[in-house]
Amino acid sequence: MPVVRQTAAESAQATGRRRPSFHTLSVAQVRRLTGDAIEVAFHVPAELAGHFDYLPGQYVALRTMLPNESGEQQEVRRSYSICAEPRSFEDGSSEIRVAVKKDLGGLFSTWANAELKAGDTLDVMSPMGAFVSKHGRDGTPVDRNVVNSMNHPEDLAGQAGSFVAVAAGSGITPIIAIARTLLAANADTRFDLIYANKAAMDVMFLEELADLKDKYPQRMAIHHVLSREQRIAPLLSGRIDAEKLQQLLGTAIRADDVDEWFLCGPFELVQLCRDTLAERGVRPDAIRFELFSSGKPDRPEGHSGRPVVADESAETFKITFKLDGLQGEVASPTHARESLLNAALRVRPDVPFACAGGVCGTCRAKVVTGTVTMDENYALEQDELDKGYVLTCQSHPTSKEVMVDFDV
């Protein structure tokens, strides 16, 4: 009897889940936001629309080939948050919009800001990420892994709620999509935003935020904090430190009656906010957060697995992994201390990953047998950890044999 294998899309439809995959999309528009930031719109044809359903706050990974310092072409992957609420067109097509801010020394962001234009094509991964509202209809939590809940933003806020976001720089990208969706979904919802930048010229989506405030004048409040410009209110000038944050929460924000918090920015700011909210008694499950980086930006190990010297006489870990219904196996020398992701990439280059830094969660898998240790985790929530999920880019085997499943 022949074995019938499901495609990734069929499996996702059947289980309600999907694993990330790349598709080539064309750039429909490139719009300048600031002197060092652009908004890129990708056209999603009708036949691919189902692969790009998403919840506001999620991100996509972009992949292309760029020359390195030696002029050699290399694969580059970068993750960017989606900055627009979900929508589709009459012909069944849709779009994905992301904002790309140029980072000092950033290979991809520098190239995109200087050269990317309408008509170009890039490989775009299907949306992922846990930075979404869990304030669901009738209080039911929204599962960010369930495909059939995507592109139904009305499910995010069936109940009225009070929401507060703290963002810095390009951290506004997912926040603006979340705010637009929540405010539109319920006429009694309130959204407060604390947005930190160096100067007014650095504020991304300045006009869009002003329009949002004008559209919901009684329900939307925006507090721009500029670190290098003097504002009329001293509270809104200078860097956000512990004292300033406490003042903001005590005066500008009604912090004692908030249903959900959204934090997006560099590690130091996000951690400061988390610690401050914890001191104020805010429940951890009411806080969503996303980082620019982990604060400990280890160099990604490569896109095909960094070289590992094999020695048949040396001890090895046996790493088995399941992906798209197929099982792979690789021996990992104990002295190499390579991650599960790196080991898997050496034998199967289509293993999903994006940042390789413990931030995005694309490489998430479940430990089926064996034990591992995880260096960093800024992507998985406690309920996922309790179920045995790990970030394979940060996980190293601690037992002789380990098996992980990317499909569950």
Side-chain angles (χ1 to χ4, degrees):
M1 184 175 180
V3 177
V4 178
R5 297 190 183 278
Q6 289 182 310
T7 65
E10 290 170 338
S11 177
Q13 187 67 32
T15 63
R17 298 178 183 272
R18 67 178 173 204
R19 80 118 168 147
S21 57
F22 279 104
H23 300 274
T24 301
L25 300 181
S26 61
V27 176
Q29 181 189 41
V30 176
R31 182 170 70 99
R32 177 64 55 183
L33 296 175
T34 68
D36 60 359
I38 56 174
E39 181 187 55
V40 183
F42 292 96
H43 172 69
V44 180
E47 61 270 21
L48 292 178
H51 293 276
F52 288 93
D53 289 343
Y54 67 92
L55 292 172
Q58 293 194 301
Y59 67 87
V60 292
L62 308 182
R63 181 178 68 182
T64 193
M65 299 294 292
L66 293 175
N68 58 19
E69 295 178 354
S70 303
E72 299 176 351
Q73 292 288 318
Q74 66 175 18
E75 180 185 291
V76 178
R77 301 186 186 195
R78 295 292 185 271
S79 298
Y80 293 99
S81 295
I82 303 171
C83 58
E85 63 273 40
R87 65 170 181 161
S88 57
F89 304 110
E90 291 183 358
D91 63 357
S93 65
S94 60
E95 68 176 10
I96 293 286
R97 288 181 176 265
V98 301
V100 180
K101 184 175 182 179
K102 183 167 63 175
D103 296 320
L104 183 63
L107 179 62
F108 183 92
S109 63
T110 300
W111 167 80
N113 269 264
E115 301 185 32
L116 191 62
K117 62 186 183 302
D120 290 345
T121 59
L122 290 176
D123 292 336
V124 183
M125 183 180 283
S126 47
M128 298 285 291
F131 190 61
V132 300
S133 175
K134 290 191 175 181
H135 191 75
R137 183 178 298 279
D138 299 327
T140 303
V142 175
D143 185 349
R144 49 97 177 200
N145 294 303
V146 177
V147 176
N148 56 20
S149 72
M150 307 290 188
N151 261 12
H152 292 283
E154 66 274 9
D155 289 341
L156 289 180
Q159 293 180 319
S162 176
F163 304 90
V164 175
V166 182
S170 57
I172 192 62
T173 305
I175 296 294
I176 192 171
I178 293 171
R180 283 168 169 164
T181 303
L182 292 175
L183 287 166
N186 193 293
D188 293 320
T189 285
R190 178 176 176 82
F191 201 102
D192 286 86
L193 169 64
I194 299 173
Y195 187 19
N197 283 279
K198 294 178 182 178
M201 64 182 295
D202 299 315
V203 178
M204 298 170 61
F205 298 107
L206 179 61
E207 293 183 4
E208 289 82 355
L209 288 170
D211 290 343
L212 198 60
K213 176 67 175 72
D214 291 341
K215 186 175 182 179
Y216 305 105
Q218 303 301 317
R219 301 194 285 122
M220 175 73 175
I222 304 175
H223 310 280
H224 289 284
V225 181
L226 304 180
S227 62
R228 297 184 183 178
E229 278 188 20
Q230 192 65 33
R231 305 205 65 200
I232 296 176
L235 186 59
L236 302 179
S237 301
R239 293 177 61 86
I240 296 180
D241 55 18
E243 181 181 358
K244 187 182 294 293
L245 182 59
Q246 287 284 14
Q247 289 180 319
L248 286 166
L249 297 182
T251 57
I253 303 295
R254 295 181 292 187
D256 296 329
D257 187 26
V258 177
D259 294 293
E260 203 166 27
W261 297 80
F262 300 95
L263 315 174
C264 190
F267 175 83
E268 294 79 8
L269 177 61
V270 170
Q271 195 58 47
L272 170 64
C273 292
R274 293 178 69 195
D275 291 342
T276 302
L277 293 176
E279 292 173 2
R280 298 179 69 95
V282 177
R283 304 185 326 275
D285 62 358
I287 303 171
R288 316 267 81 76
F289 71 93
E290 186 166 80
L291 305 179
F292 290 166
S293 64
S294 65
K296 301 176 181 179
D298 298 326
R299 185 177 182 86
E301 293 180 332
H303 303 286
S304 59
R306 65 175 171 83
V308 171
V309 177
D311 183 352
E312 294 183 359
S313 64
E315 291 188 2
T316 61
F317 294 113
K318 178 183 176 182
I319 299 174
T320 306
F321 61 94
K322 184 179 179 183
L323 177 64
D324 285 346
L326 302 176
Q327 186 165 298
E329 184 178 302
V330 59
S332 176
T334 56
H335 66 81
R337 201 178 181 276
E338 67 175 335
S339 66
L340 299 178
L341 173 65
N342 191 86
L345 284 170
R346 290 195 288 112
V347 295
R348 188 164 173 185
D350 65 331
V351 175
F353 80 96
C355 76
V359 175
C360 72
T362 305
C363 66
R364 169 184 181 268
K366 185 174 183 178
V367 177
V368 179
T369 59
T371 58
V372 304
T373 181
M374 190 160 52
D375 294 338
E376 303 286 352
N377 170 37
Y378 300 100
L380 300 181
E381 299 187 358
Q382 188 58 49
D383 64 329
E384 294 175 291
L385 298 174
D386 294 342
K387 294 175 183 176
Y389 289 98
V390 297
L391 301 175
T392 56
C393 73
Q394 297 294 306
S395 298
H396 308 272
T398 55
S399 58
K400 188 69 175 176
E401 297 185 7
V402 173
M403 181 176 182
V404 295
D405 192 341
F406 288 92
D407 292 340
V408 295

